Amino acid sequence: MNHRKSTIALIVISIVLVSASTGIGQTQPAIPEPETFIKATTNSVETLNPQFMLSSATTELSFNVYDSLLDHPQGDLATIIPGIATEVPTQENGLIQIANDGTTTIAFPIREGITFHNGAQLTPEDVAYTFKRGLLAGAQAASYNMLCQNLLEAASFQELVDEIGYDAAYARLDQRIRVEGNTVVFELPQPFVPFLGIMADGGTAMGIMNKAWCIEQGAWPGTKETGQEHMNLTAENDPLFDTMMGTGPFQFVSWERSERVVLERFDDYWQGPAKLQRVIRKIIADLPAGILLLKQGDVDFVSVSVDELPQVEGAPGVRVIKNLPSLWLMKINFVFHIAENSSYIGDGQLGEGGIPPDFFSDINVRKAFQYCFDWETFIEDVFLGAALKPYGPVLIGFPTANPDNPQYSLDLEQAEAYFKEAWDGQLWDKGFSLTAVYSSGSTHRQRALEILKYNIEALNPKFTIELASLPWAAYVGAIKEIQLPLTLFGMLPEVVDPYLPLFEHMHSAGGYAEWGGYMEMAREKYDPLINELGSNYDPEKRQELSYELQRLAYEDCHSIFHFQAVEHVAMRDWVQGYYTGPFPFNLDFYPLYKAYE
Amino acid sequence: MIAYILRRLLLLPIVMFILSALIFSLVMFLSPYERLAVFIPNADAVKSSIPYDELVSLYGLDKPFYIQYYEWLKKVFHGNLGWSPSARMPVLDAIARYFPATVELMLLGGLIIFPGGIFLGTYAATHHNRTTDQAARVATIVGVSLPEFIFGLFLLVIFYAWLGWFPPGRLSTWAEDVVYLSSFSRYTGMILVDALLNGRLDIFLDALRHLILPALAYSLGLLSTMLRMMRSSLLETLHQDYVTTARAKGLLERVVITKHARRNALLPVVTLGGTLVAKMLGGAVIVETVFNYRGMGMFIVTAAQGLDFSAILGVSLLIGLIIILTNLVIDMLYALLDPRIRLG
C-alpha cells in the first residue's frame, strides 16, 4: 500500500517538475477566433460612400473594400505604383501629354480580369462613371475637391453649373473624363503634378465602383438627362450611404450604426485572398472600455493616446508600438483681421482692455509670439517627448521638407525686442489683452495656449491673455466667422506632395489665407510660386519652389507650427503583419493575420 | 377620471409644440457654421479644404429661423423627425433602435429600485434603530454619494478585468452575429425579450450577462433614494393614530404594516417614483457610456456633443412625452392609493 502511495506521489511530483521545466504552465493563451480580427475604435462611421468621407478614421473601410487606379507600396507613401491601372502615367511612357497651351491629358490603361465583389468584371466604363458620379454628386472628400478644382476649374460641379449652365457643365465633365478603348483619359486644363498622388490615395476617396451596381442601388444612371436629379447629395439621400461594393480584398457584410462594421474576405481578390477571414470594426464609447477589451483578448487592436499608454504598456499579451509618425501637423494661426464684432478682442483698442482687430497684421507681434512659444516644454508635457517639431508647413517625411529651413525657438529676449518694436513702439507701453480659445477637451490646444500665455504675460504685466474654451462645434463656427484672434487647426494632407500643405497654408484658395486674413499677401507672393509647384514636373525646380515657399512661411510668420503628431497603437501579441500608414490607427487588413511568431 | 385623462392627453400636443419651439429657438442662437459642425466628423481630422459655405447652403442652415422651424414641423406632421447626422440615420429610426435598449436597462434597474427600495425601506422602518436599520442608513449614504460612473468603473474592474464574468457592451461578438446577421427577429428591440420570443436562451443569457453590471451601477443611487424615502415615510405613518388604533384592535403586526401603514406611506414614494423615472433617463447617459451599452443615453450624448439638433429635438420630445405620461400615471395611482383623492 505504502509502495503504491509512494509511486503515485512520485508520478505527481514528476509531472509537476516536467511541466515546470518545459513551461507547460506558461503556454501562451489560445488565440480566440484566429481568422477574425477585431479592432476597437472610438471613431464611428460617417458614411460608407468613400466619396463623401471627411474623417481620416472612416477611410479605413473604403481602403480595404475598394481599389484605386494607382497605389503605394506598403508604408511608402512617396512611391506610386500601379493599382487598377496597369502603368503609372509619366511623360516618358507617353501616358502624360502636355500640349502647348498647357492642356494635359493623363491616360490610365485599365487592368483586365479584376472582379467586383458581386462577380462583375471591372471595365474602363466603371472607372469613368465613378469619377463622373463623384463630381456630379458633389463628393465632399478633400481629394474630390482638389480633383474638381483642377479638372473642371470650379470648386464644385454646382458652382460650374451656376457659372456656365448645366449643359455646358455636363459637356465639360464628359469631355474631361472619357473612355478611349481600354484606357480612361483625364484632360486637365493645366498640368497638375499631385494628380497622380490623388489617384493613389489607396482606394479611400478614389475607390472604383461598379456602374451597374451603383445604378441598381438608385445612384445616377449615367446619362446627361438624369444628372441634375443626382447633384448635391447629402447623406440622407445618397443611395451609397450605407452600402459598399468594390474590388478590394474585403467585402462589406454589415454596418450596425454606432456599433460595428463587419467585412469578410473576398476570395477572388485580384492580388490573392487575404489571410484573415473576417474583420470587425467595433465602435466603443470611450478608450478605457477598449483597453479593457484588449487586455481580456476580446479585441485585437486599439489606438491609444499618450495618456492611456501606462494602461497598456507591460500588460500581459499586449504589444504597444509608440511614436509612429502621422500626417497631422498642428499650428497656431495668427488672424490678421479679426471680425470687428468679435467678443475675444476686448474693447477693440490697443491697450490693457483689448486689441485692435488688425493686431496681428504687424509682423513684430507675430514674431514676438513665435519667440514666446516653448516647443520643448509643450512636446514633453503633452506628448511625453513623442512628437516632432515641424520644419515649416511641409510635413516631415514629405519630399522637399527642408530640415535647414530657419525655425523659431523660445527666446524671450528676442520676443521682448519685437514687442517693443510692435505698433510703432506703442504696444510695450500700452499693453494688450485678448482671449485665446481652444476647443473643449482638446488637451494639446489648451496646453499650447497656456504656454504662450505664461511666457507672454511674464514679459510685461500689461500683457494679458485670457483662456476660454468652446465646444468643438462652436469652435469651428467661431473660426469660420473670424471671431478668434488665434486659431489652432491642423493640416492632414492625404497625398504626399509638398503642393498640398503649401496650397492649404499659403494659397489664396487654400482656406487658411482667407481665415487668417492674408489674402493679398497670398495672391501677390505665394500663388504664382504654388501654381508653378503644382504644374511643374521637374523635381529640382519643385524643390527650389518648395524651399522658397517654406522660407517665406518662416519670414512672413503666419502661424506657429507647434507639432507634428505621432500616434501610438496597442495590439495583442498574436497580431502579425501590421505596418503603419499615413494614419497609424487606420489599418490595412490585407496583410494582417493572427499567430504567435 | 376618464375626462381628466382625456384633458391631460389633449394638452399633450400643445406642450410638445411649445417644447419643440423652445429647443429649436435655442439651437438657432448658434450660427449656421456652428450648426454645421455636426456634419463634420472628427475634431482633429478636419481640414480647411472642407467646403464649409457649400455645406451650409446644402443643409439649409442659413435660412431664417421660422423657415427652418416650419420645414421641421412639416416633416414632423409627416412622421419624419429629420435626419440625425450623429446617428447616421433618421431620428425616428435612431429612437426605435436605441430606446428599447434603454427601456431594457430601465426595466431591469426598475426591478431593483422599486420593489427593492420599498421592501428594504419597509424592513429598515420596521426594524427602527436596530443593526439592520443602521446598516441600511450607512448603505444609503454611500449609495447616494457614490457617482454612477465611479461605481460603474469599480464594477467593471472587478467583474470584467479581474474575473472576466460580465463584459461591457450589449452582446458578445458571437451573439451580435446571431442578432444582426441571422434570421433572428427583432420584435421589440429589447434583446432579452426578443431572445425569448425567438427561442434563443443562449442569446438571452448573453444579453443578461451584459446587462447585469450596468443595471447594478444604474440602480445603486436610486435604490438608496427610494429606500430612504420609504423608510422615513413609513416611520412617520407608523406613528399615526390610525395605526395605533389598528394595533389596539389586535390586528397582526404584518397586517398593520402591509394593509394600513404601508399603503399610506407609499403616497410620497409614488411621487418620488415619478422623479426617479426622469432621473433614470438621465442616469442612462452615464451608465451607458461607461459600459459601452448602446442605448438612448449614448445616442443623446453623441448628439449633444455634435449639436445634432434634429436628434436633440426628437429625443427631447420623447423625454417630454415620457415625463408627462409618467405624471399622468402617478396622478392615477394617487387616486387608487387614496380614495379621498378625486381627479377631475
Side-chain angles (χ1 to χ4, degrees):
Chain A
M1 191 68 176
N2 275 346
H3 176 71
R4 210 169 145 190
K5 275 184 183 170
S6 307
T7 313
I8 292 169
L10 199 66
I11 291 169
V12 170
I13 290 165
S14 306
I15 290 172
V16 170
L17 286 175
V18 169
S19 303
S21 63
T22 55
I24 287 174
Q26 300 162 10
T27 48
Q28 290 163 312
I31 301 172
E33 300 189 62
E35 295 223 311
T36 300
F37 182 86
I38 306 177
K39 174 187 172 175
T41 174
T42 50
N43 292 303
S44 62
V45 176
E46 47 184 322
T47 169
L48 293 184
N49 185 345
Q51 299 171 337
F52 283 79
M53 289 177 180
L54 293 176
S55 159
S56 311
T58 316
T59 54
E60 173 179 71
L61 292 170
S62 52
F63 179 77
N64 284 283
V65 172
Y66 290 99
D67 283 318
S68 49
L69 287 172
L70 302 173
D71 206 346
H72 297 288
Q74 287 179 3
D76 175 11
L77 287 171
T79 308
I80 295 176
I81 57 173
I84 283 176
T86 55
E87 280 181 84
V88 177
T90 60
Q91 283 175 287
E92 288 72 38
N93 65 18
L95 294 175
I96 296 180
Q97 290 181 350
I98 304 172
N100 290 338
D101 64 350
T103 306
T104 304
T105 54
I106 303 178
F108 293 92
I110 303 303
R111 193 182 297 275
E112 288 177 3
I114 293 182
T115 311
F116 280 103
H117 300 151
N118 67 353
Q121 289 296 301
L122 183 141
T123 65
E125 191 56 45
D126 291 319
V127 177
Y129 172 82
T130 299
F131 291 104
K132 282 183 184 175
R133 181 195 172 270
L135 290 165
L136 190 118
Q140 289 157 14
S143 311
Y144 261 94
N145 293 329
M146 243 186 308
L147 184 69
C148 194
Q149 192 78 252
N150 290 284
L151 190 72
L152 301 181
E153 300 162 273
S156 66
F157 189 73
Q158 178 64 60
E159 189 185 285
L160 189 65
V161 170
D162 293 344
E163 208 178 288
I164 62 175
Y166 176 74
D167 288 351
Y170 189 85
R172 187 182 289 185
L173 179 71
D174 218 24
Q175 164 65 21
R176 297 204 173 159
I177 305 173
R178 53 184 190 265
V179 175
E180 291 178 3
N182 195 35
T183 301
V184 176
V185 177
F186 292 83
E187 184 185 304
L188 281 69
Q190 292 295 322
F192 181 55
V193 183
F195 186 84
L196 296 184
I198 292 173
M199 291 297 158
D201 74 346
T204 51
M206 298 297 164
I208 304 302
M209 298 173 175
N210 178 251
K211 181 179 176 180
W213 175 82
C214 288
I215 296 169
E216 262 171 44
Q217 307 305 308
W220 174 53
T223 60
K224 180 187 162 190
E225 294 68 36
T226 51
Q228 276 171 300
E229 295 159 28
H230 294 268
M231 283 169 58
N232 301 324
L233 292 185
T234 59
E236 205 173 341
N237 55 26
D238 178 6
L240 306 185
F241 169 75
D242 57 1
T243 185
M244 307 176 103
M245 207 282 289
T247 59
F250 287 90
Q251 54 190 328
F252 169 72
V253 175
S254 72
W255 175 28
E256 284 87 40
R257 316 281 204 283
S258 312
E259 287 177 56
R260 64 178 203 163
V261 179
V262 181
L263 305 179
E264 245 170 32
R265 179 168 64 206
F266 176 49
D267 288 325
D268 293 331
Y269 181 51
W270 61 281
Q271 297 192 67
K275 296 181 180 83
L276 291 168
Q277 172 63 38
R278 203 153 181 258
V279 169
I280 298 173
R281 190 177 187 274
K282 201 181 186 74
I283 296 149
I284 47 167
D286 60 0
L287 265 179
I291 289 170
L292 278 179
L293 289 163
L294 179 79
K295 285 179 171 175
Q296 288 292 315
D298 288 335
V299 302
D300 299 300
F301 183 99
V302 287
S303 165
V304 286
S305 73
V306 73
D307 299 331
E308 277 101 17
L309 274 177
Q311 293 179 49
V312 283
E313 280 185 302
V318 174
R319 182 164 74 238
V320 179
I321 307 179
K322 294 195 292 184
N323 307 336
L324 296 165
S326 79
L327 298 188
W328 170 34
L329 183 146
M330 278 294 294
K331 54 200 184 99
I332 305 170
N333 306 291
F334 301 115
V335 178
F336 291 22
H337 299 285
I338 307 156
E340 290 192 1
N341 63 355
S342 166
S343 43
Y344 304 103
I345 57 172
D347 59 13
Q349 306 293 323
L350 188 67
E352 288 180 64
I355 53 166
D358 56 350
F359 181 65
F360 286 111
S361 63
D362 186 329
I363 190 155
N364 293 304
V365 178
R366 303 200 297 271
K367 289 199 169 178
F369 269 64
Q370 284 274 11
Y371 282 116
C372 285
F373 192 74
D374 185 349
W375 280 263
E376 209 173 297
T377 304
F378 172 76
I379 290 175
E380 193 52 49
D381 274 14
V382 180
F383 298 101
L384 302 179
L388 305 170
K389 181 184 177 188
Y391 306 150
V394 178
L395 285 82
I396 297 170
F398 271 45
T400 78
N402 184 7
D404 300 322
N405 194 48
Q407 289 174 43
Y408 295 94
S409 54
L410 177 69
D411 187 338
L412 295 179
E413 281 178 20
Q414 287 263 41
E416 187 175 327
Y418 279 111
F419 272 131
K420 283 180 174 164
E421 288 277 312
W423 285 85
D424 298 325
Q426 294 179 69
L427 180 62
W428 189 260
D429 296 328
K430 288 190 172 179
F432 74 86
S433 171
L434 63 84
T435 304
V437 184
Y438 57 91
S439 51
S440 339
S442 175
T443 318
H444 63 82
R445 285 186 173 89
Q446 182 181 353
R447 191 73 189 107
L449 291 177
E450 280 170 359
I451 287 172
L452 212 49
K453 169 187 167 72
Y454 177 82
N455 287 334
I456 289 173
E457 289 183 347
L459 283 178
N460 186 336
K462 291 178 180 170
F463 294 171
T464 311
I465 297 181
E466 299 291 342
L467 297 187
S469 71
L470 282 175
W472 170 245
Y475 186 70
V476 173
I479 289 177
K480 180 68 192 159
E481 287 166 352
I482 330 239
Q483 290 281 317
L484 309 181
L486 297 167
T487 67
L488 287 86
F489 228 61
M491 294 200 292
L492 296 107
E494 279 155 349
V495 178
V496 182
D497 189 297
Y499 172 84
L500 272 83
L502 288 168
F503 178 85
E504 205 172 312
H505 180 62
M506 297 168 86
H507 198 279
S508 59
Y512 281 112
E514 188 187 347
W515 296 357
Y518 47 91
M519 287 291 275
E520 217 169 290
M521 203 186 269
R523 282 196 196 104
E524 282 170 18
K525 284 167 79 175
Y526 317 137
D527 285 7
L529 296 172
I530 295 170
N531 292 341
E532 195 178 349
L533 180 71
S535 59
N536 197 314
Y537 281 90
D538 175 11
E540 277 178 28
K541 183 66 187 168
R542 295 195 90 214
Q543 172 159 320
E544 187 190 311
L545 290 163
S546 172
Y547 276 21
E548 175 59 5
L549 284 159
Q550 289 173 69
R551 192 190 62 76
L552 286 170
Y554 166 81
E555 196 176 281
D556 294 336
C557 187
H558 325 96
S559 310
I560 301 172
F561 299 100
H562 62 302
F563 74 93
Q564 184 170 331
V566 294
E567 305 277 350
H568 319 285
V569 296
M571 63 194 89
R572 295 299 305 191
D573 53 2
W574 54 62
V575 174
Q576 312 297 340
Y578 171 78
Y579 73 90
T580 182
F583 301 103
F585 48 82
N586 276 0
L587 300 183
D588 177 0
F589 299 126
Y590 186 57
L592 290 183
Y593 61 100
K594 286 162 77 171
Y596 288 113
E597 278 201 316
Chain B
M1 178 162 356
I2 292 169
Y4 173 79
I5 294 169
L6 283 176
R7 215 167 43 239
R8 288 283 294 267
L9 289 176
L10 280 174
L11 277 174
L12 204 63
I14 300 166
V15 175
M16 294 283 113
F17 175 76
I18 294 169
L19 186 67
S20 68
L22 192 70
I23 298 167
F24 209 95
S25 54
L26 284 175
V27 170
M28 287 297 136
F29 275 113
L30 301 167
S31 75
Y33 295 106
E34 287 171 318
R35 282 179 283 126
L36 178 66
V38 71
F39 298 97
I40 300 165
N42 179 316
D44 284 327
V46 168
K47 306 162 184 81
S48 62
S49 50
I50 290 172
Y52 289 91
D53 294 322
E54 285 154 35
L55 290 176
V56 162
S57 137
L58 183 66
Y59 293 112
L61 302 175
D62 48 355
K63 290 179 186 166
F65 162 74
Y66 59 91
I67 292 182
Q68 290 190 54
Y69 185 60
Y70 170 73
E71 283 174 1
W72 179 81
L73 217 53
K74 209 165 64 179
K75 279 188 198 165
V76 172
F77 281 117
H78 287 90
N80 177 3
L81 284 176
W83 175 263
S84 163
S86 63
R88 278 95 189 182
M89 63 179 98
V91 174
L92 263 182
D93 289 0
I95 290 174
R97 189 182 186 96
Y98 298 123
F99 188 54
T102 301
V103 170
E104 202 164 33
L105 185 61
M106 284 175 71
L107 286 177
L108 197 65
L111 280 179
I112 301 170
I113 297 163
F114 294 102
I118 291 169
F119 172 78
L120 292 173
T122 307
Y123 191 83
T126 52
H127 294 75
H128 187 47
N129 281 341
R130 290 195 213 156
T131 317
T132 42
D133 181 36
Q134 304 289 12
R137 281 160 72 180
V138 172
T140 53
I141 290 167
V142 173
V144 171
S145 337
L146 197 63
E148 284 149 344
F149 68 94
I150 300 276
F151 185 52
L153 283 174
F154 182 69
L155 290 176
L156 256 184
V157 168
I158 294 176
F159 292 102
Y160 178 59
W162 289 357
L163 301 169
W165 293 349
F166 302 112
R170 211 174 160 201
L171 285 170
S172 302
T173 304
W174 67 267
E176 281 180 338
D177 288 349
V178 174
V179 171
Y180 298 136
L181 302 179
S182 73
S183 53
F184 186 93
S185 302
R186 292 158 83 175
Y187 301 105
T188 64
M190 290 185 268
I191 293 176
L192 289 177
V193 179
D194 290 345
L196 292 177
L197 293 175
N198 280 273
R200 294 292 304 252
L201 192 63
D202 53 346
I203 301 288
F204 176 85
L205 291 175
D206 188 69
L208 190 62
R209 188 170 160 236
H210 284 79
L211 201 54
I212 285 174
L213 288 194
L216 274 178
Y218 187 52
S219 319
L220 182 76
L222 302 179
L223 173 71
S224 306
T225 312
M226 180 57 90
L227 191 157
R228 278 162 58 137
M229 175 57 85
M230 186 65 212
R231 179 183 168 277
S232 58
S233 173
L234 188 57
L235 275 177
E236 200 183 317
T237 315
L238 286 171
H239 290 100
Q240 299 286 321
D241 290 345
Y242 68 88
V243 175
T244 314
T245 309
R247 281 183 178 135
K249 283 198 299 186
L251 289 176
L252 289 171
E253 186 64 10
R254 183 173 55 81
V255 177
V256 171
I257 290 165
T258 53
K259 296 258 176 182
H260 294 262
R262 193 162 70 184
R263 186 172 170 142
N264 284 329
L266 276 175
L267 276 176
V269 173
V270 167
T271 313
L272 177 70
T275 321
L276 288 190
V277 170
K279 276 195 171 181
M280 283 169 88
L281 284 167
V285 170
I286 297 159
V287 170
E288 287 179 10
T289 307
V290 170
F291 289 92
N292 195 38
Y293 184 91
R294 294 276 162 194
M296 221 166 56
M298 271 177 81
F299 169 49
I300 195 64
V301 166
T302 320
Q305 280 173 342
L307 289 178
D308 178 356
F309 49 92
S310 302
I312 295 169
L313 275 167
V315 175
S316 303
L317 290 183
L318 178 69
I319 291 176
L321 189 70
I322 293 169
I323 304 281
I324 291 167
L325 291 178
T326 307
N327 284 331
L328 185 60
V329 171
I330 284 167
D331 286 351
M332 288 155 67
L333 277 176
Y334 280 155
L336 285 176
L337 288 168
D338 187 348
R340 289 172 302 176
I341 298 172
R342 290 280 171 269
L343 300 176

